Amino acid sequence: MRSAPTILHLDMDAFYAAAEQAAKPSLRGKPVVVGGIGTRGVVATASYEARRFGVHSAMPVAQARRLCPNAAYLMPRFALYRSVSEQVMELLGRLSPLVEPLSLDEAFVDLEAGGVADDSASARRAGELLRADIKAVTGLTGSVGLAGSKMLAKIASEQAKPDGLVLIEPGTERELLGPMPVRILPGVGPATGEHLRRAGMTTVAHLAEAGEDELVRLLGRAHGVSLYRMAAGHDERPVVAERDAKSVSVEDTFEVDLHDRVRVRNEVVRLSDRCVQRLRAAGRSGRTVVLKVRRYDFSTLTRSETLRGPTDDPAVVREAAGRLLESVDTTGGVRLLGVGVTGLADYTQEDLFAQAAAGERAQAEAQGAQETAETVPGAGEPVAAAPEPPQERRWLAGQDVRHARYGAGWVQGSGLGRVTVRFEEPTSPPGRVRTFAVDDPDITPSDPLPLVRAPAGDQAESSPASRPKSRSGAGEEISSP
């Protein structure tokens, strides 16, 4: 444990929803829900205006619509969120070389390692400057927690929400933690929390009073010892700059249960390809393929297969996922499918056996086609394919678009062959709404616009976090002009 609160935890406020409100002036101050927009989707983030109605993350969208029917329900725009996240992480990197991202909107920073803080005053100053920089660069707000450990810094940022800063002075940990529920501690989930409740322990103070021996008896040595130390405010985990991903996965929830086995198989193939795309984008490979199936009755089955070596070959992943699907009964209907790869590595050891098998199949198919062409009259002649009916263009709520005449806007809704677009930009007043045919050639998908208009000069040079600092006495820093 540190004697100064030099570990910082940043958590952006309602990140996805706040980004959407910043991008869409007409939604500012109104309830916004980002997530799956279908009846079976789940809420990724809800704005604070929506949270007042009881909407929260991981809630089914159908339930959220009942609680807050007048909210704007939007599809996630991860290209925008990643862009903003990169700006935030760059600001954190200027504070310290030790930045531990936890997600797009959350990270730990070791201020001491960056030389920007060594006591409470300098840590608070660094935290306030960071919040100001984030607001200036992204237009969004973030909450900051400062403490002598990662656990307490995260608790402090939760207390600071929204748009605040809380600093926990070293030596006050036990007094602060005592009345808090046991679920506030890392590693205490619903099952452990219920187990402790049955033993009469509902607050952190109860854990500290029970003692280490009692917690070991209840939870086992490793978990019991760790929990007792955390209940006393001790957390020795360092800020780690590099966090290795343990798995890569994708999943989809379907509007209507899938009963057709061929359709289920095709969805598994599609998910396998998406999973490999993410795997390759991360420059990784993996040796264990995992299939997740949630059936009509909400029962969830997971199957896995470990390959001979790490791979990023889509054919290998597709075949493994297909074999796993054969072991699952889907006759009652499937509401969710997922494909993942674990056991990640930085290199690929090609599965020669799988590749050879794929080559043999391709050769056999070619040979069969040739034999058919030789024995069946007209089999080798090209056949004109029947023209496919044109697919109706699909527009999703929240999607960025551009109109040849009216400029940039976003999809407010679509249906019955029509699409409604609100034309506005992040830096404009709330815009007008216009309706078009879904196949109007003047409307095209567009990339997200920046939330904040870049100044004429280099933002990086004007940012307080990037100014060179010199020390003048303990805990005091002077910004050079």
Side-chain angles (χ1 to χ4, degrees), residues 21 27 29-34 37 43 45-56 59-74:
Q21 289 176 317
L27 296 184
K30 298 178 181 178
V32 173
V33 178
V34 178
I37 57 178
V43 175
T45 307
S47 68
Y48 286 98
E49 296 85 356
R51 295 181 190 188
R52 297 191 187 105
F53 292 86
V55 180
H56 57 77
M59 171 182 286
V61 168
Q63 182 181 356
R65 288 184 183 275
R66 289 194 295 270
L67 293 172
C68 190
N70 296 323
Y73 288 85
L74 307 176

Side-chain angles (χ1 to χ4, degrees), residues 5-10 91-92 95 109 111 116-117 119-135 142-146 163-167 464-465 469 477:
T6 54
I7 292 182
L8 179 148
H9 181 259
L10 170 72
L91 292 174
L92 298 182
L95 290 175
V109 183
L111 299 178
V116 297
D119 62 5
S120 296
S122 56
R124 182 181 293 276
R125 188 157 52 247
E128 292 291 5
L129 286 174
L130 173 65
R131 292 178 59 235
D133 286 350
I134 290 173
K135 180 68 174 178
S143 296
V144 168
L146 293 158
D163 191 19
L165 182 149
V166 168
L167 184 148
K469 301 179 179 69
E477 58 188 34

Side-chain angles (χ1 to χ4, degrees), residues 404-418:
R405 177 181 176 186
Y406 301 111
W410 57 278
V411 175
Q412 190 161 290
S414 64
L416 301 177
R418 297 286 178 180

Side-chain angles (χ1 to χ4, degrees), residues 251 290-294 300-303 334 336-340:
E251 63 181 42
V290 180
L291 176 70
K292 177 181 177 182
V293 180
R294 180 165 297 148
T300 302
L301 304 178
T302 303
R303 301 287 185 266
V334 172
L336 177 146
L337 286 170
V339 174

Side-chain angles (χ1 to χ4, degrees), residues 29-370:
K30 298 178 181 178
V32 173
V33 178
V34 178
I37 57 178
T39 57
R40 291 188 172 183
V42 296
V43 175
T45 307
S47 68
Y48 286 98
E49 296 85 356
R51 295 181 190 188
R52 297 191 187 105
F53 292 86
V55 180
H56 57 77
S57 299
M59 171 182 286
V61 168
Q63 182 181 356
R65 288 184 183 275
R66 289 194 295 270
L67 293 172
C68 190
N70 296 323
Y73 288 85
L74 307 176
M75 60 168 279
R77 296 188 298 155
F78 289 106
L80 171 64
Y81 310 148
R82 291 190 188 97
S83 174
V84 176
S85 177
E86 288 171 0
Q87 293 177 305
V88 173
M89 295 304 166
E90 182 181 353
L91 292 174
L92 298 182
R94 295 173 188 168
L95 290 175
S96 172
L98 292 183
V99 177
E100 182 178 339
L102 303 179
S103 62
L104 290 177
D105 63 336
E106 186 180 2
F108 287 109
V109 183
D110 188 333
L111 299 178
E112 186 177 316
V116 297
D118 56 12
D119 62 5
S120 296
S122 56
R124 182 181 293 276
R125 188 157 52 247
E128 292 291 5
L129 286 174
L130 173 65
R131 292 178 59 235
D133 286 350
I134 290 173
K135 180 68 174 178
V137 172
T138 70
L140 305 181
T141 63
S143 296
V144 168
L146 293 158
S149 70
K150 290 168 69 173
M151 176 185 73
L152 292 168
K154 185 172 175 63
I155 290 173
S157 70
E158 284 294 324
Q159 292 184 324
K161 283 188 167 296
D163 191 19
L165 182 149
V166 168
L167 184 148
I168 298 177
E169 290 284 358
T172 66
E173 296 90 353
R174 294 193 66 163
E175 180 182 356
L176 172 79
L177 289 172
M180 292 185 174
V182 294
R183 290 288 302 277
I184 198 74
L185 299 178
V188 180
T192 302
E194 177 60 20
H195 192 53
L196 292 170
R197 187 195 66 79
R198 290 198 298 267
M201 305 178 197
T202 57
T203 67
V204 177
H206 292 158
L207 301 180
E209 293 166 2
E212 182 176 326
D213 291 342
E214 178 64 12
L215 293 178
V216 168
R217 186 186 69 81
L218 285 172
L219 305 173
R221 173 151 298 277
H223 200 182
V225 170
S226 172
L227 199 57
Y228 177 73
R229 290 185 58 79
M230 287 189 292
H234 296 291
D235 178 18
E236 304 292 345
R237 294 174 300 163
V239 177
V240 181
E242 296 293 335
R243 288 171 58 91
D244 286 335
K246 296 181 180 180
S247 65
V248 173
S249 63
V250 296
E251 63 181 42
D252 274 346
T253 301
F254 306 106
E255 293 292 330
V256 179
D257 290 347
L258 303 185
H259 294 272
D260 184 352
R261 187 74 175 183
V262 174
R263 170 75 189 282
V264 173
R265 175 68 187 236
N266 290 340
E267 291 294 337
V268 168
V269 169
R270 184 179 59 82
L271 289 168
S272 299
D273 290 343
R274 282 175 52 195
C275 182
V276 170
Q277 288 174 1
R278 288 192 180 184
L279 194 66
R280 289 181 169 179
R284 309 299 294 276
S285 61
R287 64 177 299 143
T288 301
V289 178
V290 180
L291 176 70
K292 177 181 177 182
V293 180
R294 180 165 297 148
R295 299 190 292 188
Y296 67 99
D297 58 357
F298 285 89
S299 61
T300 302
L301 304 178
T302 303
R303 301 287 185 266
S304 64
E305 177 181 320
T306 299
L307 308 172
R308 292 181 176 87
T311 185
D312 63 355
D313 186 335
V316 174
V317 175
R318 283 196 299 264
E319 290 188 11
R323 287 192 296 270
L324 295 171
L325 180 62
E326 295 303 320
S327 65
V328 178
D329 179 12
T330 61
T331 53
V334 172
R335 61 182 290 122
L336 177 146
L337 286 170
V339 174
V341 177
T342 65
L344 302 188
D346 292 326
Y347 63 93
T348 299
Q349 179 181 324
E350 299 294 351
D351 190 331
L352 300 180
F353 294 98
Q355 288 186 344
E360 290 173 1
R361 283 195 302 274
Q363 184 177 3
E365 290 172 1
Q367 179 68 25
Q370 182 178 357

